[in-house]
Amino acid sequence: SKYEIPSKSSNVYNESVTYFSEVLFMVICFRLINRIETFEILGGIPRIKDWRVFIAKLEKLQKKGNYKIFTSAHQVIGFRRFFSTMDCLLGKGFAGLFKLERNLQVPIKNKDLEGVTKILRSIENIGPFFAWQITCDLLQSNILGDCDEHDFALFGPGAKSGLQYIFPDISDHIDICKVLVQNQSKVFELLQLDFKSFAGERQLTLKVIEHT
């Protein structure tokens, strides 16, 4: 492998790789492949210290040619760009990963979920869709402090199409969904619906509505 990743016993690894950067790395790695079966074959989502072994196994899998590494649920970046993206994060002593961690601290402190998504878009080969998916994963990982999934969601083509079907004349997707979030209990009561929960949430959030 061309990656010069310090071993677990080195000072760089012990002193520089925080819990935050480890989770950030693992989330990005998983999301860009997004196929559970691939990680099961390769022994799980790699920690930073396991990256050399993981990428060597992934290269062998990719060379077989008849194995589908990436998800088919949506467009993916492909092996070459995946390799390049991870190289930008891990190369030169994790410079890209550490810079990303530092830059994320400001929007996290300001509880600015939109700001988190914008910074994630600075990663090589990461566009709006992946930036938002990574943001959602980081929320679920509980490392974004007090950022709230009621405050922001990035609407992709499918979400916009669904909202347009229900509300043909709307132009602001976030505003109309905030109305849905704020009024859900009253509306369920009026419709006499005993709404339990969705995905473990007590209520539908802005993020859940966008996904739905």
Side-chain angles (χ1 to χ4, degrees):
S1 173
K2 67 177 179 177
Y3 299 107
E4 296 181 1
I5 300 175
S7 66
K8 188 175 181 180
S9 61
S10 74
N11 290 332
V12 174
Y13 188 91
N14 288 336
E15 295 178 6
S16 300
V17 177
T18 64
Y19 177 79
F20 186 99
S21 57
E22 189 81 78
V23 173
L24 183 60
F25 163 79
M26 294 176 73
V27 163
I28 293 171
C29 181
F30 176 81
R31 182 52 57 185
L32 295 186
I33 293 177
N34 198 21
R35 190 167 189 266
I36 293 173
E37 293 81 1
T38 297
F39 291 98
E40 288 176 341
I41 287 176
L42 299 180
I45 304 171
R47 299 273 301 271
I48 291 175
K49 66 181 178 64
D50 303 321
W51 177 249
R52 279 191 191 144
V53 174
F54 178 84
I55 196 64
K57 289 180 180 178
L58 193 66
E59 284 179 300
K60 287 182 181 178
L61 203 59
Q62 189 262 346
K63 287 176 181 177
K64 287 184 177 180
N66 60 349
Y67 184 82
K68 184 166 57 178
I69 291 175
F70 299 92
T71 182
S72 57
H74 52 72
Q75 189 174 3
V76 291
I77 65 176
F79 186 83
R80 182 183 59 81
R81 289 199 295 165
F82 170 75
F83 197 91
S84 175
T85 299
M86 301 310 289
D87 186 37
C88 286
L89 292 174
L90 296 180
K92 299 179 181 178
F94 314 139
L97 184 64
F98 292 155
K99 180 180 179 182
L100 188 63
E101 179 181 4
R102 288 194 303 272
N103 290 344
L104 284 169
Q105 300 313 305
V106 173
I108 290 173
K109 184 179 179 180
N110 294 333
K111 304 177 186 177
D112 178 11
L113 203 59
E114 183 176 6
V116 169
T117 306
K118 285 180 178 178
I119 285 175
L120 291 171
R121 288 187 64 180
S122 68
I123 304 171
E124 182 177 309
N125 297 316
I126 300 299
F129 173 80
F130 275 118
W132 171 237
Q133 296 305 312
I134 293 169
T135 299
C136 293
D137 291 340
L138 294 176
L139 271 173
Q140 295 298 114
S141 301
N142 295 317
I143 65 169
L144 294 185
D146 294 323
C147 286
D148 195 322
E149 59 186 74
H150 283 288
D151 295 332
F152 174 74
L154 188 64
F155 288 79
K160 289 179 180 178
S161 177
L163 280 171
Q164 211 71 39
Y165 182 79
I166 302 169
F167 306 105
D169 300 323
I170 64 154
S171 57
D172 193 316
H173 302 93
I174 289 184
D175 276 357
I176 193 66
C177 283
K178 283 184 176 180
V179 171
L180 293 176
V181 168
Q182 291 163 5
N183 292 282
Q184 60 184 287
S185 297
K186 295 177 183 177
V187 174
F188 288 143
E189 186 179 343
L190 288 170
L191 294 173
Q192 297 182 333
L193 291 176
D194 183 19
F195 183 77
K196 301 295 184 184
S197 67
F198 183 84
E201 305 291 344
R202 286 176 294 175
Q203 289 187 315
L204 294 173
T205 66
L206 198 59
K207 177 174 77 70
V208 170
I209 287 178
E210 184 275 330
H211 275 294
T212 307

